[in-house]
Amino acid sequence: MLLSAASAGAEEGAWTLSHLTAGLALESPETVRFSEERRLQYLTEPLFLEGTLSYAPPGRLEKLVLRPKWERMIVDGDLLTIEHSPKKPPIRVLLSDHPTLAALITALRAVLAGDQGALEHIYATALEGTEDSWLLRLTPRSRKLREAVSEVHIAGSASRIGTIEIREAGGDRSIFTIRGKT
Amino acid sequence: MKRGSTLGLVLSLALLGLGAAALVASADLRTDLSFVFPSKPSPDTALLVDKLQRGPAAGLVLLGVSGGDPGELIRTSSRFAEALRASGRFRFVANGRIGPPGPELAALLDKRYLLNPAATPADFTVAALRAGLERTLQSLGTSSGMATKHLVPADPTGRLSEIMAYWAGDSKTDRPGGVWLSGDQTTALLMIQSSASAFDLEAQKSLLDFVRDTFDGLAGADRLHLTLAGPSVFAVASSRIIVDEMRILTLTSAGLVVVLLFAAFRSLPFLLVLMLPLGFGICAGAAAVQILFGEIHGVTLAFGGTLIGVAVDYPIHVFSHAADRGDARAALERIWRTLRLGMLTTVAAFLPLTLSSFPGLSQLGLFAIVGLATAALFTRWLLPVVLPPVAARPPSANWGRLRPDPGRIRAVRLALLIAALAGATYIGTHRDSIWETDLRNLGITTAEARALDRRLRSELGAADVRYLLAVRGASMEDVLRRTEDLTVDLAVLTAAGQVAGFDMASRYLPSLRSQQERRLALPERDRLRASLEEAAAGLPFRPGLFEPFLEGVERSRSGPPLTLEDFETAGLGWRLEPLLFRQGGSWVGLIVPKGVTDAGALARLAEARKADAVSFLDLKAGSESLVADYREESLVWLALGMAVALAVLFLGLRAPGRVLRVMIPVGLSVLLTATVLSLSGTALSLFHLLSLLLVGGVGLDYALFFNRHAAEGEDRLRTIKANVFCAATSVTVFTILAFSRIPVLQGIGSTVAVGTVFSLLLAFIFAERGGSEE
């Protein structure tokens, strides 16, 4: 099944990573609702989070968690700002001080900006499926990073991302489901 | 003769160079405030001195990065901290970066139930455990909770963050707020502590250079500005400023003096020998201090050099009087008595100073005595050898026109007397308000440097403290117990609003006694397991997850106690160091109150607990009384010096009338100078007093020369010319000094410049001749 899809793509010469990233690339700001399922080794049940994800080209990402607990995380360039409450002053750190987070954010940003080069710089990529139902597997190239994050799976249909799954080396998983524009 | 003098000159210059080089190589130059500290202080004074000198956070260097937008600052701060940490040259580098606690915290984590806030049996009830677990579960649903999730199995109740919050109090440096920025977001703040001793100036200097170089090497740092503050920064900067200023001031004033004196005397060899007596004087004075004291303070060198600056006048007098009537030898024959009397009188004035209980003062006294005597002896015996036979033109007859108008001289003298009396009255009635009381203004750090330090400190929540409670004990445990015993009293003060809070060593490191009490409060493993299982019922935690927690509590219960070394290992030694330390054979714990509104309450508490070796320190009042002690003692020595000087003068002149004629202009000049300084709003410090002594010495020379028996006809013109150029030289040099950034030098400069003008004018107006003509 996989093989046939791949060969079909090869025959038509149309469905490749460059097409995918070109299709996904956003040129104007966009905000979507998301839900996140955290499956943690420590817990017998998953945790569910809800909120919005915003992207503004070229490099601003915002994750606003509304439930169960308000929290906002903003990445702009290499600056990471975390707010635990709208009243308290934010925590600001440099993204490069947190390599794991930096790698995940780079992946997301590269996909949203259509920057295939940046993506392949950090990850080995493997694209599966068809244009209507694709799965992009990202495996960190550096061993150090693999000790934290083993794989990132991004799945979707045509130029729409459906889910993002982060698999940590310790077995914890976070699955983001994109619910559509606000 | 000609060859001999050239050889002598070359030899002298070479010798002077050698002497200076040997001095620079061997002298132990001190640049701290020790200059104004007594040599045998009481334990409380010693503590005060130490805190004043090094501040509450000894060895800390505060860094500020400014000049960019917040993003740029945070970026640079992070890279900067990273580079500094990577060098391994610092005990710690803090910039507010958050992250999971590293392995260095393991020792503390293991013993966390022995730390503050005190753990009680109530913390291990099912209800308390349940609340802790629910909090932890909630934090797993946040981003920052995910960053520290690996701590969950060992610390499911969030004990560690409770401890961190307790320690943080209201200090910004401990608040998990990300990279530290100043309140107005214009400055990124970092804090470093080096592994080098705070007293090793060379090591500190190389470290600070390393910090600056590291900063300059950062990408984008060229647009940003780095500022440093802290005791070691001051020490290094002071020594650097002293060297820089000395070079600039010396070059400028030397240049001007050379131009001035060449215009007056038109002799190059004279200019070459001009500095020789002073140069040898400084070398001899410094060598004497180094030998007798084993070290020399920067202030002694800087101030002593200027204090004996009157030695430049010696060759000017000799040269002025040499002229066509013979060579320097003949001139010296004529003026040596006057010169010697001036020198001896000044030396006599400095003599009592050497007995001072403040090493700085005795250093200065010794320096001045040895320096002046050397300069005078050099002038008498070696100057004629090195000075080529001179034939300076006779002074122009115009000098003779400088003659007080006989008709008005009485009125002028009377007016000056009245002015000086008024000045004395003013000083007398304002004697409590004219003095400098801030000890730090006596140091050699610049005002800007201290302002910068204050700003960085307050941004980091490490504001300057004024009040302290000191608790002494035979051992560390002793001190920790005593401070803990004060906890209730302190809480009463806090509750009454007299004090906002306290910081002390036992906040971080509980005494072994308290640790033992806490151990007893910890449940044994099986009981804790049962409570925990009950608390976790219905919560989605994996069974068996908290095994590390059970083991950790057990280790706290039965393992080794928490020690100072655990804090060192965890990189938190810097926090305890200023609060708990050895002094002599005993231990001292400091209790640092914050937000004091009623200092009297603290003083009363210390008084009531005096039996427990608790004492109250007021750094401001303490330093003011130190300064006052210093001043009072100096005044006594100076008064004594005056008396001795008068006696010497009397012996030299042998006639009360002559002594009076010499002393009246000198006394009036000193009074008028002091009045002018006070009226201009200058707070008088010890350095002004010593400068007045110099003014007196300079004025004495002028008066003595004006009052010489032989000073008639052309000799009188020569005397006038010599005195005018001596004064012009002094005024030039000290006016330039008045522009120094170092408060001490600036004070000396303005005092002596003003004083020299008064001295010359008054010596002239009150000279014998003016009076006898009436």
Side-chain angles (χ1 to χ4, degrees):
Chain A
M1 176 64 201
L2 274 177
L3 200 73
S4 72
S7 57
E11 272 159 29
E12 291 165 28
W15 183 236
T16 60
L17 183 58
S18 15
H19 285 101
L20 175 65
T21 50
L24 287 172
L26 288 175
E27 260 138 39
S28 54
E30 199 171 299
T31 301
V32 294
R33 284 183 292 115
F34 78 95
S35 63
E36 181 185 350
E37 183 184 340
R38 279 189 187 170
R39 297 183 165 276
L40 305 179
Q41 295 293 301
Y42 295 159
L43 303 181
T44 51
E45 294 168 12
L47 293 171
F48 292 98
L49 284 73
E50 265 177 65
T52 61
L53 282 175
S54 307
Y55 172 73
R60 191 179 189 277
L61 266 177
E62 179 183 317
K63 179 189 178 189
L64 176 63
V65 181
L66 297 168
R67 264 175 299 273
K69 198 169 179 290
W70 193 94
E71 187 188 45
R72 177 154 64 182
M73 206 160 87
I74 300 166
V75 185
D76 198 357
D78 54 357
L79 216 60
L80 171 65
T81 310
I82 301 173
E83 292 170 80
H84 286 128
S85 117
K87 277 166 252 154
K88 277 193 232 159
I91 296 172
R92 278 187 277 213
V93 289
L94 201 62
L95 200 53
S96 50
D97 283 341
H98 301 266
T100 315
L101 203 54
L104 293 174
I105 285 165
T106 308
L108 205 54
R109 270 204 294 227
V111 166
L112 293 173
D115 188 347
Q116 193 183 340
L119 197 62
E120 293 190 313
H121 184 67
I122 303 181
Y123 298 97
T125 59
L127 183 61
E128 296 166 12
T130 63
E131 189 172 355
D132 287 336
S133 170
W134 49 265
L135 170 66
L136 178 61
R137 288 168 178 271
L138 305 174
T139 314
R141 290 190 190 277
S142 98
R143 177 190 305 210
K144 198 159 164 35
L145 204 53
R146 273 205 302 279
E147 283 169 12
V149 178
S150 51
E151 271 192 323
V152 178
H153 290 187
I154 304 175
S157 166
S159 62
R160 193 181 152 273
I161 295 174
T163 62
I164 302 167
E165 181 177 344
I166 299 161
R167 300 187 170 193
E168 292 184 28
D172 287 352
R173 291 196 290 166
S174 276
I175 303 132
F176 290 77
T177 308
I178 310 300
R179 297 266 177 231
K181 294 183 193 178
T182 48
Chain B
M1 182 67 204
K2 178 94 182 125
R3 262 187 59 200
S5 70
T6 315
L7 188 66
L9 183 57
V10 171
L11 265 176
S12 306
L13 286 172
L15 212 69
L16 188 58
L18 267 176
L23 196 67
V24 169
S26 66
D28 286 323
L29 202 62
R30 289 194 71 168
T31 51
D32 50 23
L33 280 172
S34 63
F35 188 77
V36 283
F37 295 142
S39 53
K40 290 190 185 69
S42 70
D44 274 356
T45 312
L47 197 58
L48 181 84
V49 163
D50 184 64
K51 291 294 123 187
L52 284 172
Q53 252 184 299
R54 300 194 288 144
L60 275 186
V61 179
L62 312 176
L63 309 177
V65 177
S66 54
D69 58 65
E72 229 174 326
L73 296 177
I74 290 171
R75 215 165 286 143
T76 311
S77 170
S78 289
R79 292 197 192 111
F80 194 16
E82 194 56 44
L84 292 175
R85 282 191 196 105
S87 75
R89 296 179 70 170
F90 301 94
R91 273 175 76 183
F92 80 90
V93 176
N95 74 329
R97 189 185 77 146
I98 53 156
E104 72 275 5
L105 278 177
L108 288 186
L109 192 64
D110 245 14
K111 297 170 181 174
R112 65 186 177 278
Y113 285 103
L114 301 178
L115 290 163
N116 280 318
T120 62
D123 295 329
F124 298 95
T125 59
V126 173
L129 291 172
R130 173 84 183 187
L133 291 178
E134 279 172 350
R135 265 199 313 277
T136 300
L137 187 61
Q138 198 177 38
S139 90
L140 282 174
T142 65
S143 312
S144 27
M146 288 295 277
T148 55
K149 70 180 173 190
H150 66 277
L151 291 173
V152 167
D155 190 23
T157 57
R159 167 76 180 164
L160 200 60
S161 66
E162 193 186 351
I163 294 169
M164 295 296 178
Y166 176 82
W167 283 356
D170 52 356
S171 153
K172 278 181 207 169
T173 51
D174 296 300
R175 209 176 50 204
V179 170
W180 294 327
L181 285 187
S182 63
D184 58 2
Q185 311 276 305
T186 59
T187 313
L189 304 162
L190 295 92
M191 218 163 54
I192 57 176
Q193 192 182 39
S194 74
S195 340
S197 153
F199 294 108
D200 187 345
L201 209 58
E202 274 309 304
Q204 290 291 348
K205 187 172 171 296
S206 103
L207 272 173
L208 295 177
D209 285 341
F210 175 77
V211 168
R212 289 196 181 88
D213 290 346
T214 307
F215 180 76
D216 291 339
L218 297 174
D222 44 329
R223 290 189 308 277
L224 301 175
H225 183 59
L226 173 69
T227 43
L228 296 93
S232 64
V233 180
F234 287 170
V236 170
S238 298
S239 64
R240 198 171 291 176
I241 286 177
I242 289 178
V243 171
D244 281 0
E245 293 232 327
M246 279 301 154
R247 188 165 46 224
I248 294 169
L249 298 175
T250 314
L251 283 180
T252 321
S253 48
L256 286 173
V257 166
V258 162
V259 170
L260 183 77
L261 294 181
F262 188 75
F265 297 100
R266 318 243 164 183
S267 164
L268 272 177
F270 168 63
L271 290 181
L272 278 176
V273 301
L274 181 67
M275 296 305 289
L276 283 177
L278 178 63
F280 277 102
I282 291 176
C283 283
V289 172
Q290 174 69 37
I291 289 166
L292 283 177
F293 288 83
E295 61 174 23
I296 181 162
H297 200 283
V299 177
T300 309
L301 200 56
F303 191 40
T306 48
L307 207 53
I308 64 170
V310 66
V312 176
D313 291 357
Y314 298 166
I316 297 183
H317 285 301
V318 173
F319 196 81
S320 305
H321 287 89
D324 49 357
R325 269 199 276 156
D327 58 74
R329 264 175 240 275
L332 269 163
E333 295 296 332
R334 276 179 289 133
I335 63 166
W336 172 241
R337 273 176 53 90
T338 310
L339 209 83
R340 185 184 56 188
L341 183 58
M343 182 271 284
L344 285 177
T345 313
T346 316
V347 163
F350 281 114
L351 207 56
L353 223 52
T354 54
L355 301 174
S356 171
S357 67
F358 292 88
L361 276 186
S362 33
Q363 277 193 12
L364 259 185
L366 181 70
F367 186 100
I369 290 168
V370 174
L372 276 179
T374 307
L377 289 176
F378 182 92
T379 306
R380 178 67 185 96
W381 303 110
L382 292 175
L383 197 65
V385 178
V386 299
L387 189 66
V390 283
R393 298 164 304 136
S396 136
N398 286 338
W399 289 104
R401 293 199 199 156
L402 285 174
R403 188 174 289 271
D405 180 345
R408 295 203 193 138
I409 194 79
R410 255 175 199 288
V412 174
R413 286 180 183 175
L414 195 65
L416 284 167
L417 264 172
I418 291 170
L421 268 175
T425 317
Y426 174 82
I427 292 174
T429 49
H430 291 77
R431 63 176 174 279
D432 292 329
S433 57
I434 58 170
W435 303 111
E436 175 63 71
T437 53
D438 191 345
L439 178 68
R440 288 167 297 188
N441 287 343
L442 297 182
I444 37 190
T445 50
T446 59
E448 307 102 85
R450 276 179 284 125
L452 172 70
D453 186 58
R454 266 200 302 280
R455 182 173 117 75
L456 291 185
R457 267 181 200 291
S458 74
E459 290 288 0
L460 282 169
D464 255 350
V465 285
R466 172 170 174 182
Y467 305 105
L468 292 172
L469 290 176
V471 181
R472 290 192 171 74
S475 65
M476 192 200 299
E477 174 68 9
D478 208 14
V479 169
L480 289 174
R481 283 186 192 193
R482 284 181 183 175
T483 49
E484 281 172 353
D485 290 343
L486 284 171
T487 311
V488 175
D489 293 312
L490 296 177
V492 170
L493 295 189
T494 315
Q498 288 155 323
V499 176
F502 293 94
D503 200 12
M504 55 185 146
S506 55
R507 242 168 86 81
Y508 310 102
L509 177 61
S511 68
L512 294 174
R513 181 188 62 184
S514 308
Q515 292 188 41
Q516 191 50 40
E517 278 166 20
R518 281 163 209 193
R519 279 167 195 264
L520 296 176
L522 297 178
E524 55 185 49
R525 191 198 289 248
D526 291 337
R527 223 177 66 212
L528 181 58
R529 188 194 301 278
S531 312
L532 191 64
E533 272 166 16
E534 196 183 335
L539 295 178
F541 288 106
R542 186 165 54 76
L545 176 65
F546 301 126
E547 218 42 51
F549 170 58
L550 299 174
E551 273 163 35
V553 174
E554 186 58 28
R555 270 200 300 274
S556 279
R557 220 168 70 85
S558 56
L562 187 71
T563 62
L564 195 56
E565 286 70 45
D566 291 328
F567 280 86
E568 289 289 343
T569 316
L572 291 170
W574 60 277
R575 199 191 278 279
L576 276 164
E577 205 169 281
L579 299 173
L580 183 66
F581 46 87
R582 256 179 213 283
Q583 190 192 32
S586 59
W587 281 82
V588 182
L590 289 187
I591 299 176
V592 185
K594 297 173 196 169
V596 180
T597 55
D598 183 2
L602 286 168
R604 285 192 294 279
L605 172 61
E607 190 57 38
R609 294 302 206 100
K610 211 171 174 179
D612 295 326
V614 179
S615 50
F616 171 71
L617 298 181
D618 178 345
L619 295 191
K620 187 159 180 285
S623 89
E624 280 172 8
S625 84
L626 257 186
V627 173
D629 285 354
Y630 195 27
R631 189 179 59 231
E632 296 302 319
E633 198 194 297
S634 314
L635 281 174
V636 170
W637 295 126
L638 289 180
L640 208 61
M642 290 294 160
V644 180
L646 262 179
V648 169
L649 198 61
F650 199 81
L651 282 178
L653 295 174
R654 288 195 203 88
R658 283 168 60 87
V659 172
L660 209 60
R661 265 195 292 279
V662 169
M663 282 318 289
I664 284 177
V666 173
L668 293 190
S669 311
V670 169
L671 261 177
L672 287 173
T673 310
T675 310
V676 166
L677 286 177
S678 290
L679 285 178
S680 71
T682 312
L684 295 186
S685 74
L686 177 80
F687 294 103
H688 293 100
L689 286 180
L690 290 172
S691 301
L692 289 176
L693 196 61
L694 172 55
V695 169
V698 166
L700 181 76
D701 277 357
Y702 299 157
L704 281 174
F705 270 95
F706 274 132
N707 282 292
R708 279 172 63 227
H709 279 304
E712 282 166 28
E714 191 189 307
D715 195 52
R716 180 180 141 75
L717 299 191
R718 289 181 186 282
T719 300
I720 296 176
K721 183 179 176 185
N723 275 348
V724 166
F725 278 99
C726 286
T729 313
S730 299
V731 171
T732 308
V733 171
F734 287 98
T735 305
I736 286 167
L737 207 59
F739 287 101
S740 169
R741 283 183 295 155
I742 302 165
V744 168
L745 295 184
Q746 195 215 323
I748 300 168
S750 51
T751 310
V752 180
V754 172
T756 305
V757 175
F758 276 127
S759 293
L760 180 71
L761 290 178
L762 270 75
F764 186 66
I765 291 168
F766 282 88
E768 198 171 12
R769 178 67 52 112
S772 63
E773 273 191 0
E774 289 164 45

PDB file of all heavy atoms in Angstrom, chain B residues 486-499 502:
ATOM      1  N   LEU B 486      16.349  33.915  67.999  1.00  0.00           N
ATOM      2  CA  LEU B 486      15.855  35.284  67.848  1.00  0.00           C
ATOM      3  C   LEU B 486      14.622  35.347  66.952  1.00  0.00           C
ATOM      4  O   LEU B 486      13.999  36.400  66.821  1.00  0.00           O
ATOM      5  CB  LEU B 486      16.946  36.172  67.248  1.00  0.00           C
ATOM      6  CG  LEU B 486      18.080  36.597  68.179  1.00  0.00           C
ATOM      7  CD1 LEU B 486      19.174  37.270  67.386  1.00  0.00           C
ATOM      8  CD2 LEU B 486      17.548  37.540  69.246  1.00  0.00           C
ATOM      9  N   THR B 487      14.303  34.225  66.311  1.00  0.00           N
ATOM     10  CA  THR B 487      13.238  34.233  65.301  1.00  0.00           C
ATOM     11  C   THR B 487      11.941  34.834  65.828  1.00  0.00           C
ATOM     12  O   THR B 487      11.295  35.637  65.159  1.00  0.00           O
ATOM     13  CB  THR B 487      12.991  32.808  64.785  1.00  0.00           C
ATOM     14  OG1 THR B 487      14.249  32.242  64.454  1.00  0.00           O
ATOM     15  CG2 THR B 487      12.112  32.822  63.557  1.00  0.00           C
ATOM     16  N   VAL B 488      11.570  34.441  67.048  1.00  0.00           N
ATOM     17  CA  VAL B 488      10.306  34.930  67.603  1.00  0.00           C
ATOM     18  C   VAL B 488      10.372  36.447  67.811  1.00  0.00           C
ATOM     19  O   VAL B 488       9.470  37.180  67.410  1.00  0.00           O
ATOM     20  CB  VAL B 488       9.982  34.211  68.929  1.00  0.00           C
ATOM     21  CG1 VAL B 488       8.725  34.815  69.552  1.00  0.00           C
ATOM     22  CG2 VAL B 488       9.798  32.727  68.685  1.00  0.00           C
ATOM     23  N   ASP B 489      11.470  36.912  68.409  1.00  0.00           N
ATOM     24  CA  ASP B 489      11.634  38.355  68.619  1.00  0.00           C
ATOM     25  C   ASP B 489      11.551  39.112  67.304  1.00  0.00           C
ATOM     26  O   ASP B 489      10.947  40.171  67.215  1.00  0.00           O
ATOM     27  CB  ASP B 489      12.993  38.639  69.277  1.00  0.00           C
ATOM     28  CG  ASP B 489      13.052  38.098  70.689  1.00  0.00           C
ATOM     29  OD1 ASP B 489      12.101  38.344  71.444  1.00  0.00           O
ATOM     30  OD2 ASP B 489      14.037  37.425  71.032  1.00  0.00           O
ATOM     31  N   LEU B 490      12.184  38.544  66.291  1.00  0.00           N
ATOM     32  CA  LEU B 490      12.207  39.198  64.981  1.00  0.00           C
ATOM     33  C   LEU B 490      10.804  39.216  64.386  1.00  0.00           C
ATOM     34  O   LEU B 490      10.389  40.210  63.775  1.00  0.00           O
ATOM     35  CB  LEU B 490      13.179  38.474  64.039  1.00  0.00           C
ATOM     36  CG  LEU B 490      14.655  38.515  64.464  1.00  0.00           C
ATOM     37  CD1 LEU B 490      15.508  37.704  63.510  1.00  0.00           C
ATOM     38  CD2 LEU B 490      15.158  39.940  64.534  1.00  0.00           C
ATOM     39  N   ALA B 491      10.084  38.129  64.570  1.00  0.00           N
ATOM     40  CA  ALA B 491       8.717  38.065  64.042  1.00  0.00           C
ATOM     41  C   ALA B 491       7.847  39.120  64.713  1.00  0.00           C
ATOM     42  O   ALA B 491       6.964  39.710  64.075  1.00  0.00           O
ATOM     43  CB  ALA B 491       8.135  36.667  64.261  1.00  0.00           C
ATOM     44  N   VAL B 492       8.104  39.383  65.996  1.00  0.00           N
ATOM     45  CA  VAL B 492       7.348  40.414  66.706  1.00  0.00           C
ATOM     46  C   VAL B 492       7.605  41.780  66.057  1.00  0.00           C
ATOM     47  O   VAL B 492       6.685  42.546  65.793  1.00  0.00           O
ATOM     48  CB  VAL B 492       7.744  40.447  68.207  1.00  0.00           C
ATOM     49  CG1 VAL B 492       7.158  41.675  68.889  1.00  0.00           C
ATOM     50  CG2 VAL B 492       7.260  39.176  68.896  1.00  0.00           C
ATOM     51  N   LEU B 493       8.872  42.057  65.748  1.00  0.00           N
ATOM     52  CA  LEU B 493       9.214  43.325  65.087  1.00  0.00           C
ATOM     53  C   LEU B 493       8.529  43.426  63.729  1.00  0.00           C
ATOM     54  O   LEU B 493       8.031  44.484  63.344  1.00  0.00           O
ATOM     55  CB  LEU B 493      10.730  43.444  64.898  1.00  0.00           C
ATOM     56  CG  LEU B 493      11.625  43.527  66.127  1.00  0.00           C
ATOM     57  CD1 LEU B 493      13.039  43.861  65.709  1.00  0.00           C
ATOM     58  CD2 LEU B 493      11.115  44.582  67.085  1.00  0.00           C
ATOM     59  N   THR B 494       8.535  42.318  62.998  1.00  0.00           N
ATOM     60  CA  THR B 494       7.930  42.318  61.671  1.00  0.00           C
ATOM     61  C   THR B 494       6.429  42.561  61.785  1.00  0.00           C
ATOM     62  O   THR B 494       5.855  43.348  61.028  1.00  0.00           O
ATOM     63  CB  THR B 494       8.191  40.982  60.964  1.00  0.00           C
ATOM     64  OG1 THR B 494       9.564  40.647  61.151  1.00  0.00           O
ATOM     65  CG2 THR B 494       7.900  41.069  59.484  1.00  0.00           C
ATOM     66  N   ALA B 495       5.818  41.878  62.758  1.00  0.00           N
ATOM     67  CA  ALA B 495       4.373  42.022  62.933  1.00  0.00           C
ATOM     68  C   ALA B 495       4.019  43.454  63.309  1.00  0.00           C
ATOM     69  O   ALA B 495       2.976  43.978  62.907  1.00  0.00           O
ATOM     70  CB  ALA B 495       3.883  41.056  64.006  1.00  0.00           C
ATOM     71  N   ALA B 496       4.888  44.112  64.086  1.00  0.00           N
ATOM     72  CA  ALA B 496       4.616  45.485  64.510  1.00  0.00           C
ATOM     73  C   ALA B 496       4.916  46.483  63.392  1.00  0.00           C
ATOM     74  O   ALA B 496       4.722  47.680  63.564  1.00  0.00           O
ATOM     75  CB  ALA B 496       5.454  45.812  65.749  1.00  0.00           C
ATOM     76  N   GLY B 497       5.428  45.986  62.274  1.00  0.00           N
ATOM     77  CA  GLY B 497       5.706  46.868  61.142  1.00  0.00           C
ATOM     78  C   GLY B 497       6.969  47.679  61.305  1.00  0.00           C
ATOM     79  O   GLY B 497       7.229  48.599  60.543  1.00  0.00           O
ATOM     80  N   GLN B 498       7.776  47.338  62.304  1.00  0.00           N
ATOM     81  CA  GLN B 498       9.010  48.097  62.515  1.00  0.00           C
ATOM     82  C   GLN B 498      10.077  47.703  61.502  1.00  0.00           C
ATOM     83  O   GLN B 498      10.986  48.463  61.215  1.00  0.00           O
ATOM     84  CB  GLN B 498       9.515  47.876  63.947  1.00  0.00           C
ATOM     85  CG  GLN B 498       8.635  48.598  64.969  1.00  0.00           C
ATOM     86  CD  GLN B 498       8.688  47.970  66.338  1.00  0.00           C
ATOM     87  OE1 GLN B 498       8.763  46.744  66.464  1.00  0.00           O
ATOM     88  NE2 GLN B 498       8.630  48.787  67.371  1.00  0.00           N
ATOM     89  N   VAL B 499       9.942  46.497  60.991  1.00  0.00           N
ATOM     90  CA  VAL B 499      10.874  45.964  60.007  1.00  0.00           C
ATOM     91  C   VAL B 499      10.053  45.131  59.022  1.00  0.00           C
ATOM     92  O   VAL B 499       9.076  44.498  59.413  1.00  0.00           O
ATOM     93  CB  VAL B 499      11.933  45.067  60.700  1.00  0.00           C
ATOM     94  CG1 VAL B 499      12.841  44.432  59.689  1.00  0.00           C
ATOM     95  CG2 VAL B 499      12.742  45.865  61.710  1.00  0.00           C
ATOM     96  N   PHE B 502      13.611  39.862  57.335  1.00  0.00           N
ATOM     97  CA  PHE B 502      14.999  39.622  57.723  1.00  0.00           C
ATOM     98  C   PHE B 502      15.633  38.588  56.804  1.00  0.00           C
ATOM     99  O   PHE B 502      14.963  37.700  56.306  1.00  0.00           O
ATOM    100  CB  PHE B 502      15.063  39.070  59.152  1.00  0.00           C
ATOM    101  CG  PHE B 502      14.639  40.063  60.190  1.00  0.00           C
ATOM    102  CD1 PHE B 502      13.330  40.090  60.630  1.00  0.00           C
ATOM    103  CD2 PHE B 502      15.537  40.968  60.716  1.00  0.00           C
ATOM    104  CE1 PHE B 502      12.918  41.008  61.579  1.00  0.00           C
ATOM    105  CE2 PHE B 502      15.141  41.881  61.665  1.00  0.00           C
ATOM    106  CZ  PHE B 502      13.828  41.906  62.099  1.00  0.00           C
TER     107      PHE B 502
END
